[in-house]
Amino acid sequence: METISGYVEHTIFRNEDNGYTVFELVCGEERITCVGTFSVLNEGETVKAAGRYTEHPVYGKQFAISSLETCEPEDEASVERYLGSGAIKGIGPALAAKIVRHFKKDTFRVMEEEPERLAEIKGISERKAMEISAQVAEKKELRQATLFLQQYGISLNLAIKIWKAYRENVYRIIRQNPYRLADDIQGVGFQTADEIAAKVGIRADSDFRIKSGIVYCLLQGAAEGHTYLPKDALTERTAEILGVDACLIEKHYMDLAIDKKIMIRGDGIYEASYYYMEASVAERLRRLNLKYELPPELVKQRVQQVAQQSGLEPDAMQMLAVEEALGRGLLVITGGPGTGKTTTINMMIRCLEEEGLEIFLAAPTGRAAKRMSETTGREARTIHRMLELNGGIEGNAGFARNEGYPLEADAVIIDEMSMVDISLMHALLKAVAPGTRLILTGDVNQLPSVGPGSVLRDMIDSGAFPVVRLEKIFRQAAQSDIILNAHKINAGERVEPDNKSRDFFFLRRYDADVIAQVVIQLIAQKLPRYVDASPYEIQVLTPMKKGLLGVERFNGILQQYLNPASAEKREKEHGGHVFREGDKVMQTKNNYQLEWEIRSRYGFAVEHGLGVFNGDMGIIREINAFAETMTVEFEEARMVEYSFKNLDELELAYAITIHKSQGSEYPAVVLPLLSGPRMLMNRNLLYTAVTRARKCVTLVGDDATFQSMIKNADQQKRYTGLSEEIKKSIDDV
């Protein structure tokens, strides 16, 4: 380890996200290129650095700094150089020279202890003098605070966010109750706060820790799809995670309820925001559920006329659905594949347009919206774009459209409703004014939303709103074994794949490695020609992330075959995985603040927007190691630039879990099946996987597992209260 000292002459590169900096240090007559990570570093500062010399293959000799401390400038020239560097806003080289000539070596003491004396300098008012003093003090305090926080393992970027939130209170909060960070600072969860608390020495049975742990467990439940947890289950889960006796947990529920952090409803305990969302959704649905007094015969006549003009022969349930759409303010339509949902929606649109109504079409994902546009011949948008997303943090997106600025539509039709969680439903209903028709369509037998809630099922189960179930499989759809077998699976009937089908195949294999080899052959060689699609368009769906047939293993294998390493492709290793230019990737969480742009053929941005969402798929187009960024092209040619620190939001997507495939449709689906937990390997999961395919489904694996999944109607229970809230809302009127 060597030590060098001097002043920072020039910053060559700095990443403000993580503090990584390359700069030139003047040590006497020598200039040294230094690299390291620092909270604040300004040109002109005098520093002492410890580290070692290294040889960079491109940039040559560098000094890699392991620790750095700033020093007070020791002579007038150093003081003047620092002040004139631009480190202090409002002071340039000329004014710096005046200040130092006047105060000489006493300059910094005057700035810190007698800042009003700066007004003795011509050109500095008393107000400006105080602003300069405040900047000097803040830089010093920020540096001290980041050093204090870093001793608890807090990253530089996070330390700066914490300092900005708490300022001088940061020391008291960290030492007394670091769990406040989980409430106040985005990016700090309970686990991070708990690690800090352990280092500070806070007891495992501290009231702060237990209260924070309860809220953390409720949020974990939300991540699993629940809007509340039963009290006993919450107590048991919290005690296990915290490693304390269960008797210490329950006494804190009432305090948290008084603080409005949780809501207690009977035996259920909510994180407060989810209770308020369910109650609000129930009340807003009730207000939309209007009945329009239209002559029934006139309605039937209009619907029949539209059917004839369109050359359609709708069945009785489709006719009923269209009639209800004209006569009701709120309507739910559910049905499986091939039951005519698209035809029904198209008839509705024609009828509503003939009434002169303005209609908005939307779906939860870009893929679903694109498919809706193709099948209706009209513009369909994602719900987020329809609501005019304007940024916000995870779970708290900001939408321009709300009760104060509602959607300017007479009717709103939402497809793929099974994917809509309680948060998105709440945002949607805030923007739909009473008197606007709301028509919700989807397949209630699909897996529920990735996010918390079970909105479509709860609405149907409440029995409070008109629901039309489409069950007849139409003649054209009946020619597809994908559709026929999907309905058999949903009904719990045995499916005997004999491989005489044109679109439903079962390749019986009983060894995980053999199954993997067959999947590779299908994706890379056989299926692209059969369904006229690229290997990237064919999707491997698996029930699990881990294991021999899990997503993680398949992604490594398929990346090797479909996008092998090459000197022409740049790579970035992150979290034990390699991202490579040309890789197929998926966004794994909603990020409402990520910016995207659509570029012209010449590379100029022609459209901007916000938001990339859980399940969005794209291709890595560029990896820039110097700028520490990765550019991904998503659907609709949306280009998104990720900083390396945000790569946790992406994962390879040659294979994805069946849950992540919701709302998507692929030319062909390959489904490896061998074994797995009974609660996971169920009918609902298999049905969802099969219905993702447009032209071909190929299952590879154990037929006994396939048949047992059809028989297994069990699925993990979701604790949601929307159905009861709807009933309560109606009873209270």
Side-chain angles (χ1 to χ4, degrees):
M1 188 80 73
E2 297 184 56
T3 302
I4 59 176
S5 59
Y7 70 88
V8 180
E9 182 181 60
H10 172 56
T11 300
I12 299 169
F13 171 77
R14 179 168 173 81
N15 185 324
E16 292 296 343
D17 288 331
N18 58 23
Y20 178 77
T21 310
V22 182
F23 67 92
E24 279 194 351
L25 187 72
V26 176
C27 303
E29 298 298 318
E30 188 180 6
R31 280 178 170 75
I32 302 172
T33 300
C34 299
V35 297
T37 300
F38 321 105
S39 58
V40 181
L41 189 70
N42 297 300
E43 293 177 358
E45 282 190 314
T46 301
V47 300
K48 183 185 289 185
R52 60 187 179 85
Y53 285 99
T54 61
E55 191 69 30
H56 191 280
V58 177
Y59 302 110
K61 187 178 180 182
Q62 296 179 337
F63 189 77
I65 296 174
S66 56
S67 65
L68 180 87
E69 62 177 292
T70 57
C71 312
E72 292 288 343
E74 296 177 351
D75 54 50
E76 292 175 26
S78 298
V79 174
E80 182 179 334
R81 184 168 51 242
Y82 172 70
L83 292 178
S85 68
I88 306 298
K89 189 178 178 182
I91 300 181
L95 189 53
K98 285 184 184 180
I99 295 171
V100 175
R101 274 201 306 271
H102 189 77
F103 296 113
K104 299 187 170 37
K105 290 184 179 181
D106 215 19
T107 298
F108 273 117
R109 188 197 64 76
V110 169
M111 284 183 164
E112 292 179 7
E113 299 175 12
E114 303 176 87
E116 67 281 355
R117 287 189 59 196
L118 288 171
E120 296 171 12
I121 308 297
K122 187 176 180 180
I124 300 181
S125 64
E126 287 188 15
R127 180 180 172 184
K128 187 171 183 177
M130 301 311 291
E131 288 174 354
I132 291 169
S133 174
Q135 284 188 67
V136 171
E138 183 174 350
K139 287 180 181 294
K140 186 175 182 179
E141 289 167 357
L142 173 59
R143 193 173 280 117
Q144 290 172 343
T146 52
L147 288 172
F148 167 75
L149 292 168
Q150 284 176 308
Q151 69 180 309
Y152 296 113
I154 297 172
S155 69
L156 174 66
N157 197 37
L158 189 54
I160 293 172
K161 285 172 70 174
I162 294 170
W163 162 253
K164 286 179 178 177
Y166 298 134
R167 298 286 174 176
E168 63 278 359
N169 294 320
V170 68
Y171 305 99
R172 175 180 58 80
I173 290 168
I174 292 295
R175 290 181 177 125
Q176 292 180 3
N177 180 19
Y179 295 100
R180 272 191 59 183
L181 273 64
D183 293 333
D184 301 340
I185 312 292
Q186 189 198 0
V188 179
F190 169 79
Q191 291 176 315
T192 301
D194 203 35
E195 290 171 7
I196 296 168
K199 291 174 182 174
V200 172
I202 290 175
R203 296 192 341 265
D205 60 355
S206 150
D207 289 352
F208 292 135
R209 182 171 188 259
I210 292 174
K211 287 179 181 179
S212 187
I214 290 168
V215 175
Y216 169 72
C217 287
L218 287 172
L219 293 176
Q220 285 293 99
E224 296 163 12
H226 310 296
T227 56
Y228 75 87
L229 289 175
K231 185 169 74 172
D232 291 346
L234 176 60
T235 300
E236 182 181 343
R237 183 184 290 210
T238 306
E240 183 179 347
I241 286 175
L242 298 183
V244 299
D245 289 335
C247 62
L248 298 175
I249 308 296
E250 290 197 20
K251 66 179 183 179
H252 293 289
Y253 290 150
M254 193 52 66
D255 288 343
L256 285 168
I258 291 169
D259 291 340
K260 296 187 176 178
K261 290 188 175 180
I262 67 171
M263 293 293 289
I264 302 172
R265 287 294 179 269
D267 186 49
I269 298 181
Y270 288 81
E271 192 277 329
S273 64
Y274 289 110
Y275 171 75
Y276 290 122
M277 278 192 276
E278 282 194 342
S280 175
V281 165
E283 176 59 20
R284 291 174 190 277
L285 287 171
R286 184 190 66 77
R287 290 183 206 161
L288 289 171
N289 189 28
L290 303 174
K291 188 168 184 178
Y292 300 103
E293 296 301 328
L294 299 174
E297 289 306 316
L298 179 61
V299 171
K300 284 183 183 293
Q301 184 180 337
R302 286 176 182 168
V303 175
Q304 288 169 351
Q305 187 177 2
V306 165
Q308 289 170 0
Q309 290 171 349
S310 306
L312 300 173
E313 296 181 9
D315 72 354
M317 296 310 291
Q318 287 177 305
M319 291 287 288
L320 175 63
V322 181
E323 291 166 13
E324 290 282 75
L326 291 174
R328 304 298 295 253
L330 179 62
L331 174 65
V332 177
I333 302 170
T334 184
T339 57
K341 289 197 301 293
T342 298
T343 299
T344 306
I345 291 172
N346 283 328
M347 287 177 60
M348 282 179 188
I349 292 170
R350 288 283 303 274
C351 287
L352 293 170
E353 283 179 341
E354 288 197 0
E355 293 294 309
L357 303 185
E358 178 75 17
I359 306 166
F360 285 0
L361 307 180
T365 67
R367 280 174 178 256
K370 183 179 179 183
R371 195 164 69 250
M372 196 179 189
S373 292
E374 292 168 350
T375 56
T376 63
R378 291 160 177 82
E379 181 192 15
R381 296 170 285 176
T382 63
I383 297 173
H384 292 87
R385 292 187 77 174
M386 181 177 72
L387 298 180
E388 298 177 24
L389 178 71
N390 57 19
I393 61 173
E394 172 83 27
N396 188 29
F399 295 103
R401 295 290 179 171
N402 51 41
E403 52 266 82
Y405 182 39
L407 294 168
E408 295 161 4
D410 301 302
V412 176
I413 303 176
I414 307 294
D415 198 14
E416 294 287 357
M417 263 302 297
S418 63
M419 296 181 65
V420 175
D421 63 24
I422 192 67
S423 301
L424 188 56
M425 189 64 174
H426 182 237
L428 171 66
L429 292 180
K430 283 166 67 176
V432 179
T436 303
R437 287 173 170 82
L438 180 62
I439 300 162
L440 308 174
T441 71
D443 185 349
V444 74
N445 294 309
Q446 296 282 357
L447 289 170
S449 57
V450 174
S454 188
V455 174
L456 181 62
R457 182 173 294 280
D458 283 353
M459 286 183 65
I460 293 171
D461 289 348
S462 73
F465 311 118
V467 176
V468 177
R469 297 178 185 270
L470 303 177
E471 296 175 339
K472 177 183 174 183
I473 303 174
F474 284 85
R475 186 172 62 251
Q476 186 175 354
Q479 296 172 8
S480 165
D481 286 324
I482 294 175
I483 291 174
L484 290 176
N485 288 337
H487 283 275
K488 285 184 179 179
I489 290 167
N490 190 45
E493 298 174 9
R494 186 176 179 84
V495 175
E496 295 288 359
D498 55 12
N499 290 338
K500 295 178 182 178
S501 169
R502 292 177 301 170
D503 60 7
F504 196 97
F505 305 99
F506 200 115
L507 307 181
R508 292 169 175 80
R509 304 289 188 277
Y510 304 98
D511 178 87
D513 290 336
V514 174
I515 291 171
Q517 286 299 321
V518 171
V519 169
I520 292 165
Q521 287 180 337
L522 288 168
I523 298 289
Q525 299 168 22
K526 297 184 178 179
L527 285 175
R529 291 195 302 272
Y530 188 72
V531 297
D532 189 25
S534 75
Y536 276 44
E537 293 176 283
I538 298 165
Q539 192 60 55
V540 176
L541 301 180
T542 79
M544 296 166 288
K545 288 197 73 168
K546 307 283 187 183
L548 292 175
L549 296 181
V551 164
E552 292 181 359
R553 182 174 186 235
F554 264 116
N555 272 323
I557 294 170
L558 290 168
Q559 181 192 46
Q560 180 182 340
Y561 279 88
L562 299 180
N563 190 34
S566 161
E568 287 78 42
K569 297 174 186 173
R570 285 165 289 194
E571 297 181 353
K572 169 63 181 171
E573 192 277 332
H574 182 83
H577 303 286
V578 173
F579 291 113
R580 183 175 298 135
E581 289 176 338
D583 272 336
K584 180 179 177 182
V585 292
M586 172 183 276
Q587 175 79 8
T588 61
K589 62 184 286 190
N590 290 337
N591 187 327
Y592 301 103
Q593 294 177 315
L594 259 183
E595 295 183 15
W596 54 261
E597 63 181 29
I598 296 174
R599 299 171 184 170
S600 70
R601 58 186 295 190
Y602 303 107
F604 298 111
V606 294
E607 186 179 346
H608 294 271
L610 284 173
V612 183
F613 306 111
N614 191 355
D616 284 357
M617 283 180 148
I619 303 292
I620 298 173
R621 295 303 184 197
E622 182 184 23
I623 296 174
N624 189 325
F626 184 76
E628 297 188 337
T629 60
M630 189 163 83
T631 303
V632 178
E633 180 179 356
F634 288 97
E635 289 179 331
E636 301 175 329
R638 292 175 299 140
M639 307 296 287
V640 178
E641 193 172 273
Y642 291 79
S643 72
F644 281 176
K645 76 183 184 84
N646 284 339
L647 295 186
D648 285 338
E649 297 184 11
L650 291 171
E651 61 184 28
L652 293 176
Y654 300 102
I656 62 174
T657 62
I658 296 166
H659 277 88
K660 291 283 188 181
S661 72
Q662 287 172 271
S664 297
E665 190 177 77
Y666 312 98
V669 161
V670 179
L671 180 61
L673 288 178
L674 200 54
S675 62
R678 176 176 168 78
M679 188 56 71
L680 184 65
M681 308 291 281
N682 59 45
R683 180 188 302 169
N684 194 218
L685 194 82
L686 183 61
Y687 174 76
T688 300
V690 167
T691 55
R692 297 308 89 206
R694 188 164 62 248
K695 295 181 179 179
C696 176
V697 170
T698 306
L699 298 100
V700 187
D702 189 341
D703 47 350
T705 299
F706 174 65
Q707 300 298 346
S708 68
M709 287 180 76
I710 296 174
K711 293 177 186 175
N712 180 15
D714 294 339
Q715 54 184 299
Q716 184 181 10
K717 177 176 174 54
R718 280 206 171 185
Y719 295 108
T720 66
L722 179 60
S723 179
E724 291 305 312
E725 283 297 325
I726 290 170
K727 294 174 187 174
K728 180 173 174 289
S729 175
I730 291 170
D731 291 341
D732 288 346
V733 175

